[in-house]
Amino acid sequence: MDTVASAVERLDRLAATPRIARLSAAFAAAGHEFALVGGPVRDAFLGHRVNDLDFTTSASPDEILAIVVPIAEAHWDVGRQFGTIAARVDGEVVEITTYRSDVYDGETRKPVVEFGDTLEGDLVRRDFTVNAMALRLPEKVLVDPSGGVDDLLARRLATPGAAVDSFRDDPLRMMRAARFTAQLGFDVADEVRDAMTTRASTLSIVSVERVADELSKLLRTATPTPGIRLLVDTGLADHVMPELAAMRLEIDEHHHHKDVYEHSLTVLEQAIGYESERHPGEAPDLTLRLAALLHDCGKPATRRLEPGGVVTFHHHDVVGAKLAKKRLKALRFDNDTIGAVHRLIELHLRFFGYTEGAWTDSAVRRYVRDAGDQLERLHILTRADVTTRNRRKADRLGFAYDDLENRIAELREREAIDSLRPDLDGVEIQRVLGIGPSREVGEAYRFLLELRTEEGPLGAEVATERLLAWWAARER
């Protein structure tokens, strides 16, 4: 946390930038209050880079447009009915919103929009005190009616008013609490935690899409684990992704096994580490993180307590893939994400057979073929799934996966294994066999693909001979 003096200096520099100076001068000339609000002010105190600029004003939407149009390159009525006008000024997009004093009915999270008349009144209706601060412009006066600076210094997430009332107004704020816990590295105030626990079931009035969006934002943070723990501990996860809480399996005194929930959080953290290491500077990989978090979600349904203190989870990969697919569909994730997560979970145990005996080239080809465009994510997930504290075992698995990746690289140099295709395509199969489009063409294609996987490239001539022999044997 930077000092208050450093934050004030940073805010002064921000206010003096030509874009903000032009805007604040234009609103002042028109006789309206104008302030930088929310996240940018918070981030100045945290020493974070300020990206999105949000402003609030006493001007009405029509008055905002009249002031902004002469100095903006473009403008949009992104939420005019809610008092928000967006504009591009000096090449950057800003959003300006009329003071609000909304009223909620308690049945939905959609407020009855009412415009307010004071900056302080606008701020106290916001979600958390650290987001309820503003820098009044052009005066450069910090406005903090709810003690946001104190909470920032204490690294505490609290609400401007009673937390239970805040979450009654908008239950999605509970999901935001989990996200900000992870994003900012803060702890929630006891009152906030209690209200989240009490009000968890009211998340049902929020649209699935908004819940999934907040979950995605949480998972994209640098360290999502604290936020996930908060969701599980308060019971919110039961209404978002109940598979998480289900992984906290009861420990039987005679049967010892890893805590599946804690293991999954460790795998997520390690996957993020590998992601950063192997792809520095790239955007967070939501698909990989979902797969890491849910890769063992099939274990509760497949757990068996065997004699001698052995616990088994046979076929938890297949069961888990189906459960994850069902959950992500319910959350209305896109089909590409759902399919990729399903595939990764289904394949996440495949590698462990590699350590039990040397794979043939055909087995390596099959691994690459089955992973398809998810191979790099599978590399990361499989490595991250090694959480044993036994250093010797961890090293052995790491060396084995290094060897597998080296063999994949060697095969890539000799043949195109990333896009395995038969030596003959569908048109050529029809010509060789003298048939038209039909089910038999698909069967022949699959035969040649399996041949290509097992034996590598054969060439058109040999592939034709093998296809004709297969066809003749099939007709007998």
Side-chain angles (χ1 to χ4, degrees), residues 421-433 441 444-449 451-452 458-468:
R421 293 183 176 84
D423 294 276
L424 303 176
D425 62 22
V427 173
E428 291 167 325
I429 289 171
Q430 292 177 54
R431 178 183 55 77
V432 169
L433 300 181
V441 175
Y445 187 93
R446 287 189 289 274
F447 164 74
L448 289 175
L449 179 59
L451 205 61
R452 169 70 173 82
L458 300 174
E461 184 177 346
V462 174
T464 297
E465 293 175 0
R466 300 286 289 273
L467 175 61
L468 287 172

Side-chain angles (χ1 to χ4, degrees), residues 366 406 470:
R366 197 179 305 279
N406 288 334
W470 170 82

Side-chain angles (χ1 to χ4, degrees), residues 33-111:
E33 296 178 2
F34 186 70
L36 180 68
V37 68
V41 180
R42 177 199 71 214
D43 289 344
F45 278 90
L46 294 173
H48 295 172
R49 180 179 178 180
V50 175
N51 294 313
D52 301 324
L53 293 178
D54 295 325
F55 299 94
T56 188
T57 178
S58 59
S60 70
D62 287 341
E63 290 168 333
I64 294 173
L65 277 172
I67 296 168
V68 167
V69 167
I71 62 174
E73 296 99 52
H75 65 275
W76 306 270
D77 296 357
V78 292
R80 189 168 183 170
Q81 70 272 32
F82 302 111
T84 301
I85 302 296
R88 185 167 63 245
V89 180
D90 294 343
E92 298 289 337
V93 174
V94 299
E95 287 194 357
I96 306 168
T97 303
T98 303
Y99 293 157
R100 297 261 296 269
S101 60
D102 302 337
V103 177
Y104 292 82
D105 60 13
E107 299 298 325
T108 70
R109 65 176 295 268
K110 295 180 180 179

Side-chain angles (χ1 to χ4, degrees), residues 17-28:
T17 59
R19 176 174 62 260
I20 295 179
R22 288 179 68 195
L23 281 166
S24 60
F27 277 83

Side-chain angles (χ1 to χ4, degrees), residues 50-362:
V50 175
N51 294 313
D52 301 324
L53 293 178
D54 295 325
F55 299 94
T56 188
T57 178
S58 59
S60 70
D62 287 341
E63 290 168 333
I64 294 173
L65 277 172
I67 296 168
V68 167
V69 167
I71 62 174
E73 296 99 52
H75 65 275
W76 306 270
D77 296 357
V78 292
R80 189 168 183 170
Q81 70 272 32
F82 302 111
T84 301
I85 302 296
R88 185 167 63 245
V89 180
D90 294 343
E92 298 289 337
V93 174
V94 299
E95 287 194 357
I96 306 168
T97 303
T98 303
Y99 293 157
R100 297 261 296 269
S101 60
D102 302 337
V103 177
Y104 292 82
D105 60 13
E107 299 298 325
T108 70
R109 65 176 295 268
K110 295 180 180 179
V112 177
V113 178
E114 292 186 5
F115 296 140
D117 51 17
T118 68
L119 174 58
E120 290 78 5
D122 178 272
L123 293 175
V124 297
R125 54 167 281 280
R126 292 175 180 259
D127 54 4
F128 301 105
T129 60
V130 296
N131 296 329
M133 300 182 293
L135 184 68
R136 198 186 293 276
L137 299 170
E139 302 94 327
K140 293 190 287 188
V141 173
L142 182 68
V143 182
D144 179 20
S146 303
V149 171
D150 291 339
D151 286 333
L152 276 169
L153 294 173
R155 304 188 73 81
R156 177 176 58 237
L157 204 61
T159 52
V164 70
D165 293 335
S166 179
F167 298 155
R168 180 184 296 112
D169 286 346
D170 185 357
L172 189 63
R173 288 173 176 172
M174 296 186 288
M175 291 291 295
R176 288 200 197 108
R179 173 172 45 108
F180 285 128
T181 295
Q183 182 178 319
L184 304 178
F186 286 11
D187 292 323
V188 294
D190 289 342
E191 182 193 14
V192 171
R193 182 182 293 271
D194 291 344
M196 290 174 71
T197 303
T198 302
R199 305 284 307 171
S201 63
T202 64
L203 195 63
S204 61
I205 72 172
V206 182
S207 72
V208 170
E209 291 84 356
R210 296 301 299 274
V211 170
D213 182 57
E214 277 298 329
L215 177 64
S216 298
K217 288 177 180 177
L218 165 59
L219 287 174
R220 287 190 177 103
T221 62
T223 54
T225 296
I228 294 169
R229 289 190 187 280
L230 184 60
L231 291 180
V232 173
D233 292 345
T234 58
L236 273 169
D238 295 340
H239 306 279
V240 180
M241 192 172 274
E243 293 77 11
L244 296 179
M247 286 191 286
R248 293 193 296 187
L249 301 175
E250 295 180 7
I251 302 298
D252 185 286
E253 61 178 326
H254 301 298
H255 298 81
H256 304 288
H257 58 84
K258 289 181 182 177
D259 184 308
V260 179
Y261 172 66
E262 292 297 334
H263 165 74
S264 297
L265 294 180
T266 301
V267 171
L268 173 61
E269 292 169 356
Q270 293 189 165
I272 292 171
Y274 282 122
E275 178 188 331
S276 300
E277 178 184 307
R278 294 171 70 117
H279 305 285
E282 293 189 12
D285 189 340
L286 177 61
T287 298
L288 172 65
R289 296 178 183 202
L290 283 166
L293 185 61
L294 293 172
H295 77 285
D296 275 348
C297 70
K299 281 190 170 180
T302 59
R303 185 176 68 148
R304 297 292 181 269
L305 306 180
E306 308 290 352
V310 176
V311 182
T312 62
F313 304 96
H314 295 309
H315 307 301
H316 77 268
D317 47 348
V318 177
V319 172
K322 291 178 180 177
L323 289 174
K325 183 176 183 179
K326 182 178 180 180
R327 177 56 50 201
L328 296 182
K329 277 188 173 182
L331 289 169
R332 297 180 188 169
F333 278 87
D334 63 276
N335 289 335
D336 288 345
T337 299
I338 294 171
V341 171
H342 177 274
R343 196 65 173 146
L344 288 166
I345 295 176
E346 191 176 49
L347 293 175
H348 82 273
L349 292 180
R350 179 77 67 85
F351 157 73
F352 293 97
Y354 189 84
T355 64
E356 296 169 4
W359 278 7
T360 61
D361 283 352
S362 64

Side-chain angles (χ1 to χ4, degrees), residues 287 336 339-341 343-344 371-379:
T287 298
D336 288 345
V341 171
R343 196 65 173 146
L344 288 166
D373 59 2
Q374 299 306 311
L375 182 62
E376 174 58 15
R377 286 181 174 133
L378 185 59
H379 287 332

